[in-house]
Amino acid sequence: YRAKQLGRNTLQHHDGDSSGLGMPRGEQEELHQAITCDQLFLEYQPQVDVATGRITGVEALVRWNHPAKGRVPPVNFIPLAEETGLIVPLGLWVLNEACRQARSWQDMGLAPVTVAVNVSAKQFADPDFASHVAEALERNRLQSRWLELEVTESVVMQNAERALAMMEQLRAIGVRLSIDDFGSGYSSLAALKTFPFDRLKMDRSLVEALPGDKTAVAIASAVISLAQTLKLSVLAEGVETDAQMDFLRHAHCEEAQGYHFSKPVSPEELSRMLQTRLP
Ligand code: C2E
Ligand code: MG
Ligand code: MG
Ligand code: MG
């Protein structure tokens, strides 16, 4: 799979569009190079079954190994990628790399886990997105049930009709769809009833104040039971403490992700974790 070709086409495509945004030209060129010159890599953060402690899935998180600055976190380049349109080839690289890695773990004989990939608004608005997903699965001989796509509310609310049509195409392929960062910023319950999500990821900001803060407890409990009522599985993000885990266990939250279990790690480290996981 050639990210180089993709990047080249897309730069031509978006070159004109982005010149008016006032983005420093150099940074844009650098990000383009990151995509075409193999400077991006993925780390994987385990997602854990709250009741058993087993790893059930991983979230793929992109990083940039900048030739001069070293390791750059996604908050420092995803916004630029979104503004310039480079998120489309970047996202395609992430999608393919995550599927390739999932295939490679399965080939190692490890018990399969779901791999979740973050999808941005521009990718989701691309009419070819569903076929890119199908191609990535096929190319890597990965069953669709092992791929999960994470989108935030703002992605689906931007153009509800178009988003719904895209979600239906993706569901037909058989991938899982999750709503990311639920409860961050403004949240509308409409998104949950309108769109066919499989899973709700409760934002770290709601988990942070657990279990000491009474309001946080009330909100987190409400979100968990809302998910159950709507038949969505529910995962708590940003879990860092034993006390938060105790709360989540009692509130019947199904899964958790956070530094309490592991920070995002290399694929090698993750395969070690999968090897030693309890049966
Ligand atoms: P996200 O999708 O909500 O990912 C979770 C973020 O929370 C990750 O930050 C992760 O490292 C961090 N995190 C996990 N557990 C904890 C915890 O216990 N405590 C704290 N304080 N943080 C925790 P990261 O990797 O820096 O990514 C930030 C955001 O960048 C992601 O938020 C996502 O919105 C975006 N992003 C990352 N990779 C991609 C990608 O491949 N494509 C797109 N479109 N966006 C991406
Ligand atoms: Mg995410
Ligand atoms: Mg999130
Ligand atoms: Mg987030």
Side-chain angles (χ1 to χ4, degrees):
Y1 176 71
R2 308 295 299 168
K4 278 195 172 74
Q5 291 160 5
L6 274 168
R8 199 177 299 133
N9 293 340
T10 309
L11 184 67
Q12 283 162 7
H13 195 90
H14 290 278
D15 223 19
D17 314 347
S18 53
S19 50
L21 287 171
M23 292 317 301
R25 196 94 196 137
E27 274 184 41
Q28 226 185 103
E29 297 282 353
E30 280 188 1
L31 184 55
H32 176 251
Q33 275 184 26
I35 303 166
T36 54
C37 303
D38 286 332
Q39 293 168 14
L40 299 177
F41 64 100
L42 297 182
E43 287 190 323
Y44 299 87
Q45 188 177 35
Q47 302 177 331
V48 169
D49 183 313
V50 168
T52 64
R54 280 181 52 150
I55 298 173
T56 53
V58 295
E59 178 174 4
L61 295 155
V62 69
R63 279 89 179 81
W64 178 5
N65 187 12
H66 189 283
K69 293 180 220 162
R71 192 192 152 101
V72 185
V75 285
N76 293 350
F77 65 90
I78 291 288
L80 174 64
E82 278 173 355
E83 258 179 279
T84 56
L86 285 169
I87 192 69
V88 172
L90 190 157
L92 213 41
W93 180 82
V94 171
L95 177 68
N96 277 279
E97 177 58 18
C99 289
R100 194 198 59 74
Q101 187 59 60
R103 159 56 39 215
S104 155
W105 282 324
Q106 288 190 18
D107 286 347
M108 289 170 70
L110 300 166
V113 290
T114 307
V115 177
V117 168
N118 293 283
V119 178
S120 82
K122 273 212 178 115
Q123 288 179 275
F124 213 69
D126 177 357
D128 294 331
F129 182 63
S131 33
H132 290 321
V133 169
E135 282 162 24
L137 292 168
E138 205 177 315
R139 184 178 295 124
N140 294 289
R141 295 167 291 111
L142 188 69
Q143 286 180 295
S144 56
R145 57 189 292 224
W146 302 117
L147 180 64
E148 177 171 322
L149 301 173
E150 299 191 0
V151 295
T152 58
E153 268 171 312
S154 60
V155 168
V156 289
M157 295 309 265
Q158 260 173 35
N159 183 334
E161 212 175 310
R162 188 177 64 194
L164 193 55
M166 179 54 70
M167 289 179 85
E168 269 151 17
Q169 286 184 59
L170 293 167
R171 284 183 77 89
I173 294 170
V175 297
R176 285 211 301 187
L177 299 169
S178 62
I179 185 160
D180 200 2
D181 300 346
F182 186 81
S184 69
Y186 78 98
S187 274
S188 75
L189 301 178
L192 290 186
K193 103 172 179 326
T194 312
F195 300 101
F197 285 108
D198 301 288
R199 184 187 223 196
L200 183 158
K201 296 190 75 181
M202 181 160 66
D203 194 63
R204 185 170 78 225
S205 61
L206 297 183
V207 175
E208 225 164 30
L210 296 175
D213 184 295
K214 275 192 183 136
T215 311
V217 166
I219 295 173
S221 309
V223 169
I224 292 164
S225 60
L226 178 68
Q228 286 163 346
T229 306
L230 296 172
K231 306 232 177 336
L232 302 174
S233 68
V234 56
L235 176 145
E237 298 192 87
V239 176
E240 295 185 353
T241 69
D242 275 328
Q244 287 167 347
M245 273 309 281
D246 289 340
F247 169 84
L248 294 168
R249 206 172 290 115
H250 285 110
H252 301 291
C253 179
E254 293 165 86
E255 284 168 279
Q257 177 180 344
Y259 297 166
H260 180 63
F261 309 100
S262 171
K263 64 183 198 328
V265 296
S266 69
E268 295 73 29
E269 182 68 35
L270 204 276
S271 44
R272 276 192 289 276
M273 295 170 81
L274 289 175
Q275 265 154 15
T276 57
R277 83 176 185 181
L278 298 166

